[in-house]
Amino acid sequence: MSLEVLLAAVFALVTGVNDGGALLAPGHKLPTVRPRTGIAVLVAMNALVPLLTQDVAQTFTRRLATPQGPHARHVVAVAMIAALVVVLTLTHFGKPTSLTLAIVGGLTGAGIGWGIPVAAGPVTLVLAVGLAAPFAGALVAPVISRLLGAVTASRGLARWHWAGFAVQSLAYAANDGQKMAAVFILALGVPDAPLPVTLTTATLFGIGALYGLPRAGRTLSIEIISVRPLYGVAAQAGSGLTVIGCAAAGMPVSMTQAVAGGLIGSAMAEGGGKVRWHAAVKIVLAWLLTLPTSAVLAGLAAFGLGMVV
């Protein structure tokens, strides 16, 4: 097994650690989707949905910095290491951040450091869409919250929880989760991700999610707001619809950011005092640090490696 493939496997594990808890956290007060059941659904979605569409994965591998030549895999390895260092550091402190931002920053920084032309337009567009995602989630979730409050009683919310979680899981597999397939495509030097690759990434994601569920999920489900079941279901559905829309355009966005935006938006719709702003600000700061830190770290490492290779 090459170093690049090993790093891609570690990246998929860390994705599960970072994203798994965040995806399940909004509905933790409803007994409908048990954690292990939810992780099994996410694993199945991440294995199968990329077989239908890999538009977001192709954005990573073809529209951002695309290393070519004999040292291309070195550049990819540097990008993944930088992204992993940043994300693991933040995850250690229980601050779920955007792995999408981390790998975009890593690929961009490594490309610049190695002297590879970087497509500024696609990178800027990805960043703009990523920045808009939590705000879109914050706008959509309160609408869904009001609709659910009007059409269902508290006992009927469990059925809507399954629907919201299904939409969220589908959206994740069609968009944010495809960064795992993208790093394997780059590591293997293949044009797309076949079933063995998607099965591998999904399985590694599931293992990571089981490990990271308690810590990563706590920040969204407890620290940012005291989640009411209605908020959680609305955030899952709202973030899912937002991310599916971005996937249709081939734009990678962070589900963690969209979920956090949905939770905050639902709470603010009933009064901003329900949001624990000090915790929310810490999460936003983690997001803001992720991309530039990954880019600088990868750029310096790639430049240094390029001097000696």
Side-chain angles (χ1 to χ4, degrees):
M1 180 184 295
S2 69
L3 173 62
E4 293 80 15
V5 174
L6 179 61
L7 287 171
V10 174
F11 186 88
L13 276 170
V14 174
T15 298
V17 172
N18 194 73
D19 292 0
L23 292 168
L24 291 166
H28 82 288
K29 289 190 176 180
L30 285 168
T32 321
V33 182
R34 299 291 184 182
R36 292 182 184 273
T37 303
I39 290 173
V41 171
L42 285 166
V43 168
M45 289 285 193
N46 278 296
L48 298 176
V49 172
L51 300 178
L52 302 176
T53 173
Q54 294 186 15
D55 288 351
V56 173
Q58 297 300 330
T59 295
F60 281 108
T61 60
R62 296 181 181 178
R63 299 181 65 183
L64 301 179
T66 52
Q68 305 288 335
H71 300 301
R73 293 188 181 183
H74 294 142
V75 179
V76 173
V78 168
M80 285 192 285
I81 290 172
L84 286 169
V85 168
V86 172
V87 170
L88 283 172
T89 301
L90 292 171
T91 300
H92 175 73
F93 292 103
K95 305 305 178 189
T97 188
S98 169
L99 274 159
T100 300
L101 289 177
I103 195 61
V104 169
L107 287 170
T108 304
I112 293 172
W114 197 270
I116 296 172
V118 174
V123 171
T124 302
L125 181 59
V126 166
L127 293 180
V129 174
L131 180 64
F135 294 98
L139 292 173
V140 174
V143 176
I144 295 176
S145 180
R146 292 190 184 95
L147 290 173
L148 289 176
V151 302
T152 186
S154 59
R155 291 183 179 179
L157 193 60
R159 292 193 297 271
W160 289 103
H161 181 206
W162 257 116
F165 181 71
V167 170
Q168 182 191 49
S169 300
L170 174 64
Y172 183 82
N175 193 317
D176 200 12
Q178 292 200 9
K179 59 182 172 282
M180 295 182 289
V183 296
F184 267 95
I185 290 170
L186 291 170
L188 293 168
V190 295
D192 54 29
L195 179 60
V197 171
T198 62
L199 281 174
T200 299
T201 59
T203 301
L204 291 170
F205 172 89
I207 295 170
L210 285 171
Y211 174 80
L213 180 62
R215 173 171 288 187
R218 183 179 185 275
T219 302
L220 288 182
S221 63
I222 298 174
E223 291 185 9
I224 291 182
I225 66 171
S226 181
V227 179
R228 288 178 53 193
L230 183 62
Y231 294 168
V233 175
Q236 286 181 319
S239 64
L241 292 174
T242 298
V243 173
I244 284 175
C246 295
M251 288 292 104
V253 297
S254 169
M255 179 64 80
T256 302
Q257 290 179 299
V259 168
L263 288 171
I264 292 172
S266 296
M268 287 187 65
E270 297 187 19
K274 298 178 183 293
V275 180
R276 298 187 178 104
W277 289 108
H278 66 284
V281 168
K282 288 181 181 179
I283 296 299
V284 173
L285 287 176
W287 293 343
L288 293 176
L289 284 171
T290 297
L291 187 142
T293 305
S294 299
V296 170
L297 186 60
L300 291 174
F303 180 78
L305 184 60
M307 297 289 290
V308 299
V309 172

